[in-house]
């Protein structure tokens, strides 16, 4: 595991390193996703974000897993929001892989979960679930894996322990200029994204138990993460 943020009233990483996050905009504390003991953070604006280390993606070039518990607000409009992202949205006029690169893991405006890796303004590849895959007002465990291959089929998406991706989510053409994994200049952010115009796609609801791995978790390991709350009637 590269990073783990329980988000129990702070953004400290559970380890003795420099990956502690910085809570900005004073997001409210919310109920814990797992057992009601502790807290999560509730996001609902461009000012609410947790910024982590820009070194986390150093070890993600060969494979990765992103995991979190999310609670989408019942009145969220639009639905869309970034759960976890280190995409740098600057330099829209340049197809510069070093500037416009990174992962985006989030909820779309139609209630689907998507994941993609971008390597320039017109190029990204990933996967997406069906619309309305997430029910508002309930906690869901969302997880995505990436096997390191530079194609959409390299990603898989799981919701509450079950694989749910059913379609590619991609655009642009692969070029030799962007044909390898590149570390983003943007730190991983929880609850907010970065676009050409600045902060964008704020998550509208609560996020808890964020984990990042530098490998693909297997089905048994995915079930263990979901099973922390598997018997709860809210799932």
């Amino acid at each position: 595991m590269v990073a783990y943020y329980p988000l129990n009233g702070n953004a400290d990483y559970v380890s003795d390193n420099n990956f502690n996050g910085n809570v900005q905009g004073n997001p409210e504390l919310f109920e814990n996703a797992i057992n009601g003991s502790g807290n999560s953070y509730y996001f609902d604006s461009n000012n609410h974000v947790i910024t982590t280390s820009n070194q986390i993606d150093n070890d993600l070039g060969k494979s990765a897993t992103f995991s979190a518990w999310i609670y989408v607000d019942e009145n969220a409009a639009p639905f869309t929001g970034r759960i976890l992202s280190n995409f740098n949205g600057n330099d829209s006029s340049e197809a510069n892989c070093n500037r416009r690169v990174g992962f985006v893991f989030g909820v779309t405006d139609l209630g689907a979960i998507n994941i993609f890796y971008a390597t320039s303004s017109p190029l990204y590849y990933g996967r997406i679930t069906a619309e309305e895959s997430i029910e508002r007002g309930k906690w869901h465990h969302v997880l995505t894996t990436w096997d390191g291959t530079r194609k959409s089929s390299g990603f898989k998406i799981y919701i509450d322990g079950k694989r749910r991706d059913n379609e590619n989510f991609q655009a642009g053409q692969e070029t030799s200029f962007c044909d390898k994994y590149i570390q983003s200049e943007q730190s991983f952010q929880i609850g907010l994204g970065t676009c050409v115009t600045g902060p964008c796609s704020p998550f509208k609801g609560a996020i808890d138990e964020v984990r990042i791995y530098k490998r693909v978790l297997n089905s048994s390991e995915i079930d263990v993460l979901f099973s922390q709350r598997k018997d709860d009637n809210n799932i």
Side-chain angles (χ1 to χ4, degrees):
M1 186 161 58
V2 177
Y4 171 36
Y5 299 95
L7 304 184
N8 286 327
N10 58 55
D12 291 348
Y13 168 52
V14 183
S15 181
D16 296 325
N17 59 26
N18 297 317
F19 286 175
N20 285 344
N22 179 27
V23 182
Q24 302 173 45
N26 196 29
E28 296 181 2
L29 294 178
F30 192 66
E31 67 186 39
N32 182 270
I34 303 301
N35 55 22
S37 175
N39 300 110
S40 62
Y41 275 104
Y42 194 93
F43 304 82
D44 65 1
S45 78
N46 280 355
N47 296 320
H48 294 169
V49 62
I50 294 175
T51 301
T52 69
S53 171
N54 62 3
Q55 300 179 45
I56 290 176
D57 66 347
N58 290 1
D59 296 322
L60 304 184
K62 295 182 178 180
S63 59
T65 296
F66 304 106
S67 170
W69 285 87
I70 63 171
Y71 178 102
V72 176
D73 189 282
E74 294 180 89
N75 300 312
F79 216 133
T80 185
R82 302 272 173 94
I83 301 167
L84 184 66
S85 171
N86 71 336
F87 174 66
N88 181 348
N90 294 328
D91 297 327
S92 61
S93 62
E94 300 180 26
N96 187 332
C97 296
N98 292 296
R99 302 292 181 87
R100 297 181 57 77
V101 61
F103 293 96
V104 173
F105 182 29
V107 184
T108 73
D109 57 353
L110 296 176
I113 296 293
N114 69 340
I115 175 70
F116 63 88
Y117 177 74
T119 55
S120 70
S121 177
L123 175 63
Y124 59 87
Y125 57 93
R127 294 283 287 172
I128 189 169
T129 68
E131 298 174 4
E132 300 182 3
S133 293
I134 293 295
E135 185 176 355
R136 303 174 192 240
K138 294 184 178 181
W139 281 107
H140 294 279
H141 180 243
V142 293
L143 179 147
T144 182
T145 65
W146 177 54
D147 66 8
T149 58
R150 293 186 51 77
K151 52 188 177 181
S152 290
S153 60
F155 288 95
K156 297 177 181 178
I157 302 173
Y158 298 81
I159 301 176
D160 296 335
K162 297 181 179 180
R163 186 175 176 184
R164 297 286 296 277
D165 57 290
N166 64 351
E167 186 177 349
N168 286 346
F169 188 82
Q170 61 187 46
Q173 298 294 321
E174 188 69 84
T175 67
S176 58
F177 184 56
C178 306
D179 64 356
K180 63 181 181 179
Y181 174 81
I182 301 174
Q183 296 160 222
S184 174
E185 296 175 350
Q186 173 75 46
S187 300
F188 268 106
Q189 297 183 137
I190 300 171
L192 190 67
T194 299
C195 296
V196 175
T197 55
C200 65
S201 298
F203 190 86
K204 295 178 175 62
I207 300 176
D208 202 5
E209 297 288 322
V210 175
R211 302 169 188 257
I212 302 174
Y213 300 82
K214 60 179 181 181
R215 64 181 180 85
V216 173
L217 297 191
N218 61 42
S219 57
S220 297
E221 292 169 322
I222 293 170
D223 190 58
V224 167
L225 291 179
F226 168 55
S227 294
Q228 295 175 92
R229 192 182 165 100
K230 190 172 183 179
D231 296 327
D232 193 300
N233 292 329
N234 287 329
I235 295 299

